[in-house]
Amino acid sequence: MSPSLQDFLDTYSSPLEALSSPVRPGPVFPYPQEHTNWRDEQRAWAQTATLFNQSWHMNDLYLSGPDAKTLLSETSVNGYETFSGGRAKQYLAVNEDGMVIGDSILFGLSDDLYAVVGAPATMNWLMFQAEQKGYDAHLELQLGRLFAGEGPVPKRLFRYELEGPNAQKILERAVGRSFDPIRFFRMGEFEVAGVPVQALSHTMAAAPGAENTGLEMFGPEEHREEFLQAILTAGEEFGLVRGGSIAYGSTLAESGWIPLPVPAIYTGEGLRAYREWLPDPGFESRGVVLAGSYRPDDVECYYRSPWDLGYGHMVKFDHDFIGRDALERMADEPHGRKAWLVWDPDDAQRITAGSELGRPEQYRPLDPYRMSALHHDEIHLGDRMVGTSHVHAFTVNVGWISLGVVSESEVSEGDVVEIQWGDHDGGASNPYLPDHVRTTIRATVRWSSPGPRS
């Protein structure tokens, strides 16, 4: 019998110890780091347009069959009364206690075919529920390069993100006609160079001063090159640049998406069967590595509710779903709130010097271009801990930012808080991290994405 996540956890004294064991850093995005230089690639999505390749790094789970929509509805907080082909939503799964397992983008490719795209946590949950409860649904998983390791990654569809204020103009030039912009989180269909393409309207980077400036376009993998060349040609007049993995990983500084929350699956007898079903090695056993200055006594302290991550508006009590009763009880309770934490420029300069040059002191290295999603650093306001930061990133448009969850009852917009920068033990237990001293970073709390720097 193959080892499971539960077997992995049982070799440690607690789930917290298991997820804190050092693991060699995983693979990076399977794309060039830069096509030109990452600063111009960041600047372009605010001023002209940037094209990102999203084809290979994410997992794709296709669902079809009579019970496919029911399976989606009964495993997520989202409402589905009007969901059909041509629409999309951010699928959000929680456990019976209402704590988040994960989120992905759900595409209605047609009225009887759906695709969930993103990281493994939600897809594993869907496949387990389909198998255990006997839904009449067909599920097909296509692994992305981040989660499949090296080697070929066969995909049904290519996927590109066109981001920036000139996105609509470029698309119209590529299609050969003008048309109304696709409504936010709706999908449109057209042809580019004879290639049938679907597009989801959303934004990855929240370009200042423009709404709905992103288009996630996908079509048959065998026609990738025809599509790509047509988009690049159409974009020449409008300042289009190709974005590499450095710029791609930093988009979250502006969009405010907190990726890869710790899946709320590591405790409770009710989830033991799921932990025994999940394989080891797997994302939940080897891909979730806890780091940062925050070090509670229990792994459940890392769990987050939908409200904590800015997803409260997604919770719809118009259908039965796993975790509904718990969320109904929690709805009127105090919650955490997602915040942008804009670093003080002097502290940013000091941290940069101390992490890259080791002067005057060695600080924890910065990881500004990859998603530092599993760092959990304490946030203090005066002598009180008021939340945790989860992500840090830099763009030329806004500077250094952390994304975090703070206590809405204790923190107000404009407050200057302190991020406790560094691992809880100064890196002593992690051979892949240099020893360092902890320090603080002053940061200003914002409830929405900051605009470009003056």
Side-chain angles (χ1 to χ4, degrees):
M1 187 173 180
S2 300
S4 68
L5 169 63
Q6 187 63 56
D7 294 327
F8 170 73
L9 297 176
D10 287 344
T11 62
Y12 293 87
S13 62
S14 69
L16 183 64
E17 181 188 2
L19 299 180
S20 301
S21 57
V23 175
R24 182 179 295 278
V28 296
F29 290 106
Y31 311 114
Q33 287 194 323
E34 301 168 289
H35 286 278
T36 51
N37 70 85
W38 59 264
R39 295 166 183 82
D40 286 348
E41 293 166 10
Q42 291 175 338
R43 189 174 290 108
W45 73 57
Q47 297 181 358
T48 54
T50 305
L51 183 69
F52 292 113
N53 188 351
Q54 299 176 310
S55 301
W56 295 305
H57 70 276
M58 296 181 287
N59 284 1
D60 298 346
L61 178 65
Y62 295 94
L63 303 92
S64 59
D67 290 345
K69 188 173 178 180
T70 302
L71 169 62
L72 292 164
S73 175
E74 293 181 353
T75 57
S76 71
V77 307
N78 312 84
Y80 288 86
E81 284 189 0
T82 61
F83 187 69
S84 60
R87 296 200 175 190
K89 60 175 69 251
Q90 192 169 355
Y91 172 94
L92 182 68
V94 301
N95 67 14
E96 288 284 6
D97 296 324
M99 295 292 104
V100 171
I101 291 174
D103 69 291
S104 296
I105 300 300
L106 168 62
F107 296 83
L109 300 178
S110 68
D111 288 344
D112 55 8
L113 177 63
Y114 309 94
V116 177
V117 180
T122 52
M123 298 170 206
N124 290 337
W125 182 246
L126 276 164
M127 290 188 292
F128 173 76
Q129 297 297 332
E131 180 181 307
Q132 297 296 307
K133 298 180 180 178
Y135 288 92
D136 185 4
H138 175 71
L139 280 66
E140 176 192 348
L141 177 65
Q142 295 185 346
L143 292 174
R145 181 65 55 78
L146 281 179
F147 311 107
E150 294 301 321
V153 179
K155 286 294 191 82
R156 179 186 300 187
L157 302 173
F158 64 73
R159 192 175 301 275
Y160 286 87
E161 174 78 14
L162 181 61
E163 187 76 28
N166 287 348
Q168 179 73 15
K169 297 175 183 177
I170 294 169
L171 184 58
E172 290 181 352
R173 179 61 56 86
V175 173
R177 60 181 173 85
S178 61
F179 50 88
D180 291 334
I182 303 168
R183 292 172 58 190
F184 185 66
F185 251 75
R186 296 291 182 89
M187 289 164 54
E189 298 184 16
F190 41 80
E191 287 191 356
V192 174
V195 178
V197 175
Q198 290 180 285
L200 167 66
S201 173
H202 72 115
T203 181
M204 286 178 54
E211 295 183 356
N212 305 348
T213 57
L215 291 164
E216 186 169 329
M217 302 174 290
F218 48 96
E221 167 62 26
E222 60 269 24
H223 297 298
R224 165 194 305 280
E225 284 304 317
E226 300 100 295
F227 166 83
L228 176 60
Q229 292 307 313
I231 290 293
L232 293 176
T233 299
E236 289 177 356
E237 177 185 345
F238 302 104
L240 177 64
V241 302
R242 297 185 69 177
S245 61
I246 291 176
Y248 183 85
S250 68
T251 56
L252 49 81
E254 298 180 39
S255 70
W257 177 51
I258 298 178
L260 304 180
V262 175
I265 62 169
Y266 296 100
T267 51
E269 281 301 306
L271 286 164
R272 174 174 283 272
Y274 183 48
R275 295 192 296 270
E276 292 174 342
W277 180 88
L278 284 167
D280 175 48
F283 169 74
E284 291 83 354
S285 61
R286 310 300 171 124
V288 178
V289 182
L290 302 176
S293 60
Y294 179 59
R295 185 46 50 107
D297 296 327
D298 195 309
V299 72
E300 291 187 358
C301 295
Y302 290 94
Y303 295 174
R304 294 289 175 257
S305 76
W307 292 277
D308 294 335
L309 300 174
Y311 299 149
H313 65 284
M314 297 183 190
V315 182
K316 306 298 182 184
F317 297 119
D318 59 359
H319 65 296
D320 291 328
F321 61 89
I322 297 170
R324 172 176 171 167
D325 290 346
L327 291 179
E328 285 185 315
R329 292 191 298 269
M330 296 163 57
D332 295 326
E333 297 177 354
H335 304 294
R337 181 168 180 175
K338 181 179 71 176
W340 284 257
L341 307 172
V342 183
W343 289 19
D344 177 89
D346 292 336
D347 284 352
Q349 186 177 44
R350 176 174 56 85
I351 297 297
T352 301
S355 63
E356 297 180 2
L357 304 176
R359 62 174 194 256
E361 297 175 298
Q362 178 67 55
Y363 299 134
R364 185 179 71 197
L366 292 162
D367 190 10
Y369 319 121
R370 294 173 58 192
M371 291 187 294
S372 54
L374 295 174
H375 286 159
H376 291 73
D377 291 322
E378 295 180 5
I379 300 171
H380 288 198
L381 181 60
D383 58 359
R384 308 188 313 279
M385 179 180 164
V386 293
T388 55
S389 65
H390 298 258
V391 175
H392 63 276
F394 172 87
T395 77
V396 297
N397 304 313
V398 300
W400 279 100
I401 285 181
S402 291
L403 300 174
V405 177
V406 298
S407 171
E408 190 171 14
S409 63
E410 297 182 275
V411 178
S412 300
E413 184 166 31
D415 282 347
V416 177
V417 297
E418 289 187 341
I419 301 168
Q420 307 298 304
W421 183 260
D423 269 31
H424 67 103
D425 62 358
S429 62
N430 189 344
Y432 306 111
L433 189 67
D435 292 344
H436 56 270
V437 298
R438 285 178 54 177
T439 187
T440 60
I441 301 170
R442 291 167 293 174
T444 301
V445 175
R446 297 285 300 270
W447 295 143
S448 60
S449 180
R453 296 184 297 176
S454 58

